Amino acid sequence: MTIDELRAAAAARQQTCAQIKKMIVSRLDLPIEPEWITDDQPLFGRGLELDSLDVLELYVAIEAEFGVALYDSDMSVFGSVSRLAEYVNPDLPKTEPGAGERAA
């Protein structure tokens, strides 16, 4: 990859992650600013502490906003904003092995 391609990929990742953060805060009515969520922050557990109802809301939001369907086998994409970004935009370079892979 050339430096310009790397810059374009980084810009696309940042844009996708920012869009996902805004969607999470808006759809779940979280009392925080989207910028407070880091790309690799866990969405469950000690991260944003989302629960199963939040996941259902995000399923609907992702399908509506990105036109991407999620299935039960895709739960790992909810590990972080970065993993969600890789799933909804598969052209982004991967940050973790196996992240962003879609089930066939």
Side-chain angles (χ1 to χ4, degrees):
M1 266 190 159
T2 68
I3 191 74
D4 290 334
E5 291 171 330
L6 289 172
R7 285 184 181 144
R13 172 178 289 286
Q14 287 177 334
Q15 180 181 9
T16 303
C17 286
Q19 187 177 358
I20 290 170
K21 292 173 191 180
K22 288 176 188 171
M23 178 195 66
I24 289 171
V25 170
S26 171
R27 291 285 251 203
L28 301 180
D29 199 28
L30 298 178
I32 61 172
E33 295 296 321
E35 297 80 24
W36 291 4
I37 303 171
T38 63
D39 293 351
D40 294 318
Q41 179 177 356
L43 300 180
F44 297 95
R46 292 193 272 181
L48 287 179
E49 299 181 0
L50 301 183
D51 61 26
S52 58
L53 294 177
D54 295 328
V55 171
L56 291 175
E57 180 64 32
L58 290 179
Y59 264 59
V60 172
I62 288 167
E63 187 166 345
E65 191 154 337
F66 295 99
V68 175
L70 290 162
Y71 304 96
D72 289 340
S73 61
D74 299 325
M75 283 299 294
S76 66
V77 302
F78 286 101
S80 67
V81 169
S82 185
R83 287 183 131 189
L84 275 170
E86 291 166 356
Y87 188 85
V88 302
N89 188 349
D91 295 330
L92 295 176
K94 306 292 184 250
T95 59
E96 305 173 51
E101 293 179 3
R102 290 189 182 179

